[in-house]
Amino acid sequence: LILPLALAAASLIFLQTNSFLAHRDRLLEGYRPDHYTASTNWMKQNTAPDAIIFHTNWDTFPLLFSGNDKNRYIVGLDTTFLYDRDPERYLLWYKIIYGEYVGDVVGKIEKTFQSKTIFIDKNRDHDLFQRQVEASPRAEKVYEDTVSVIFTIR
């Protein structure tokens, strides 16, 4: 009994250490307050007041909002608020941002989330979603820098 528990504990320690080392630079660097300044400036200048921005990560909200408070966002400080209000919409948002939704992603974003602007953090795991958006003839890439990409829905 002791040997399997010791092996399980050693495996857990190894996995946690490996995960920490893989993300160490990102954890130490964190987000600077101006991380999204260029993209939020673009949204401020090119979207209507109160337009809904479909964005991929709840934890990008504080920087997006502090740089552009004229728009509204899908999720704020915690996805639990979206889940509590509308579990189906939360699950749809989750499937979309991780590329699990099958179908017209752009049409679904426009219809279900009433959004014509899509913000994707390029440093996160949303490559499948980004490829789905890029494949849509209705999505137009209107802004891109080293940290983000923005699409509008035609």
Side-chain angles (χ1 to χ4, degrees):
L1 181 63
I2 293 174
L3 183 60
L5 288 175
L7 285 173
S11 296
L12 184 61
I13 291 169
F14 172 77
L15 291 172
Q16 290 299 318
T17 302
N18 193 31
S19 178
F20 173 75
L21 292 175
H23 301 300
R24 175 182 49 192
D25 293 339
R26 197 160 153 202
L27 290 169
L28 294 173
E29 182 181 299
Y31 285 114
R32 299 176 321 278
D34 64 345
H35 190 72
Y36 298 124
T37 297
S39 49
T40 56
N41 283 340
W42 186 92
M43 289 186 288
K44 253 194 293 196
Q45 295 167 6
N46 295 284
T47 60
D50 288 329
I52 298 171
I53 308 297
F54 185 93
H55 62 108
T56 50
N57 297 90
W58 65 270
D59 56 351
T60 60
F61 169 76
L63 295 177
L64 292 174
F65 185 77
S66 68
N68 174 20
D69 64 356
K70 82 171 204 168
N71 291 131
R72 295 184 294 151
Y73 300 89
I74 300 297
V75 291
L77 296 176
D78 192 335
T79 56
T80 303
F81 296 116
L82 176 58
Y83 182 81
D84 282 346
R85 181 171 176 111
D86 191 337
E88 286 181 34
R89 189 177 291 184
Y90 164 80
L91 292 172
L92 177 62
W93 170 80
Y94 183 89
K95 285 180 179 180
I96 287 173
I97 66 168
Y98 287 105
E100 297 174 10
Y101 180 79
V102 177
D104 179 12
V105 169
V106 169
K108 199 63 158 172
I109 289 170
E110 183 179 33
K111 182 179 178 188
T112 305
F113 296 95
Q114 290 84 48
S115 178
K116 291 201 168 278
T117 305
I118 301 169
F119 173 91
I120 300 174
D121 183 327
K122 291 169 61 174
N123 299 316
R124 304 297 276 274
D125 185 25
H126 300 295
D127 296 341
L128 290 174
F129 170 52
Q130 184 171 337
R131 284 196 296 267
Q132 287 177 314
V133 174
E134 288 172 339
S136 173
R138 294 189 56 225
E140 178 182 0
K141 187 186 298 184
V142 291
Y143 177 85
E144 184 172 16
D145 60 23
T146 58
V147 297
S148 66
V149 59
I150 300 172
F151 295 88
T152 57
I153 299 173
R154 293 185 276 234

